[in-house]
Amino acid sequence: MTHPAPHHPGPSEPHGTSAPGHDHCHGHAPGEGHHAHGADPDSGLADMLDLDAELFAEHLADLTGRLARLAGRAVTHIVDLGAGTGTGTFALLRRFPTARVTAVDSSPGMLARMVGTARARGLGDRVRILEADAATGLPGVADADLVWASASLHHVDDPAAALAGVRAALRPGGLLAVAELDGLPHFLPEDAVADRPGLEVRCREALTALHGAQVPHLGADWGTPLTAAGFAVEYEGTDRLELRAPLPAGAGRYAHLVLSRVRGALADRGRIDPADLAALGHLLDGGPQDVRHRDDLLVRSTRRTWIARCPTGTP
Ligand SMILES: C[S@@+](CC[C@H](N)C(=O)[O-])C[C@H]1O[C@@H](n2cnc3c(N)ncnc32)[C@H](O)[C@@H]1O
């Protein structure tokens, strides 16, 4: 279903897959500070999200399959909350062939990129975009069968307000899926850098400390806030994903993108030993230790998922 834009949409107004008129992004990911604004879309983050979905496509398909089994009836309207580049949108459109998706994001740069991808894949007429802050509700969105919030809820300043908005947007009995990472994926064995054993673990700890201040909801247990918002949690699961040699194409580039963001987040903040920072730099500089051409790389990431149902009675 297409939602043509009769005029240039305002910041909280739903519109079709016409690209937004300005371009900045405030998304972030493991390894980056909160609300990183910029004049251009954050292509490093966007590429990382796309690669993540490509590498862990099987996990994504498992989750959408679980949603299909739990949905109980046809899913025709989906909301992708904090859609980013549309990794969830495209997986859900594949799983639910008669559905359309409202992709919500506060970053016009991300929305513009996802519109381009939707059109390139011939899916433009099944996607509409809504530029909005999830904490302020989902204007014009009602009776959704499913809301998908992947790696996005932890960004929202007021998750309780966001969950109230989600509840208002869902039909009675509709589902909310919350998918989150526990933080930075792992890539290297303990002794990967001979003179700096445990380098990656220390980087992870420094990043966790930084996130504690900047992204306090990262790693939260969403079961409690979901219940407090009136949802009935029907599934909660933790998946420890691991990719080993022979690694799929893109794994080295994924590691490079993630660790580059980690380095960007930690540089000049005095949170790690300068020798660790220098060693991290050697994993990224195109030299012999670079993660893009090492043979000891593995990719490990822990994902948690909650699937909750909107009550069918009057709140
Ligand atoms: C880490 S990305 C995840 C993107 C996508 N869901 C995925 O899993 O690949 C988080 C996204 O949430 C968006 N976001 C952050 N805070 C938001 C807010 N308050 N309201 C709406 N979107 C937000 C960011 O712009 C970014 O695109």
Side-chain angles (χ1 to χ4, degrees), residues 5-303:
H7 61 278
H8 188 76
S12 62
E13 190 179 344
H15 47 92
T17 53
S18 54
H22 53 300
D23 241 5
H24 68 87
C25 170
H26 83 202
H28 81 109
E32 192 195 353
H34 200 193
H35 299 297
H37 290 267
D40 297 318
D42 186 339
S43 63
L45 171 60
D47 290 348
M48 192 179 78
L49 295 172
D50 283 346
L51 265 175
D52 185 277
E54 189 183 310
L55 293 172
F56 297 114
E58 200 179 317
H59 174 65
L60 201 48
D62 285 349
L63 290 185
T64 62
R66 185 177 291 280
L67 287 169
R69 290 192 294 281
L70 281 173
R73 71 180 221 198
V75 170
T76 58
H77 182 201
I78 299 168
V79 176
D80 187 356
L81 191 65
T85 57
T87 57
T89 293
F90 299 120
L92 291 161
L93 287 176
R94 207 166 18 254
R95 175 66 66 187
F96 300 104
T98 60
R100 62 192 166 82
V101 171
T102 301
V104 182
D105 207 289
S106 53
S107 161
M110 283 293 182
L111 289 172
R113 176 159 164 153
M114 93 91 76
V115 163
T117 310
R119 286 185 182 149
R121 295 185 186 185
L123 295 168
D125 60 344
R126 293 178 64 199
V127 177
R128 73 168 180 162
I129 55 174
L130 170 60
E131 185 188 328
D133 179 344
T136 62
L138 302 174
V141 183
D143 287 326
D145 300 297
L146 169 64
V147 174
W148 169 266
S150 166
S152 55
L153 262 192
H154 70 261
H155 290 266
V156 178
D157 293 334
D158 185 350
L163 291 176
V166 168
R167 195 171 154 183
L170 277 168
R171 66 165 171 81
L175 292 176
L176 165 62
V178 176
E180 288 281 339
L181 281 75
D182 77 336
L184 173 71
H186 297 256
F187 299 104
L188 294 164
E190 160 83 13
D191 58 355
V193 180
D195 55 341
R196 308 296 303 167
L199 171 69
E200 196 179 18
V201 172
R202 287 192 299 283
C203 290
R204 188 185 172 89
E205 286 167 357
L207 196 67
T208 301
L210 194 64
H211 280 162
Q214 292 183 333
V215 205
H217 305 299
L218 185 63
D221 180 347
W222 291 97
T224 305
L226 284 168
T227 306
F231 288 92
V233 178
E234 295 193 358
Y235 170 80
E236 185 180 337
T238 300
D239 295 291
R240 293 188 172 78
L241 310 178
E242 187 166 307
L243 305 175
R244 290 184 167 276
L247 287 173
R253 201 158 74 82
Y254 177 71
H256 192 268
L257 283 165
V258 172
L259 293 176
S260 298
R261 299 181 75 77
V262 173
R263 185 165 183 271
L266 295 179
D268 306 325
R269 303 216 184 193
R271 287 192 180 262
I272 61 168
D273 186 324
D276 276 347
L277 199 59
L280 184 56
H282 290 312
L283 298 174
L284 304 168
D285 64 5
Q289 296 193 51
D290 192 294
V291 287
R292 285 167 294 185
H293 29 77
R294 297 179 70 106
D295 59 9
D296 59 351
L297 205 65
L298 51 82
V299 186
R300 280 176 293 155
S301 183
T302 302
R303 313 280 159 122

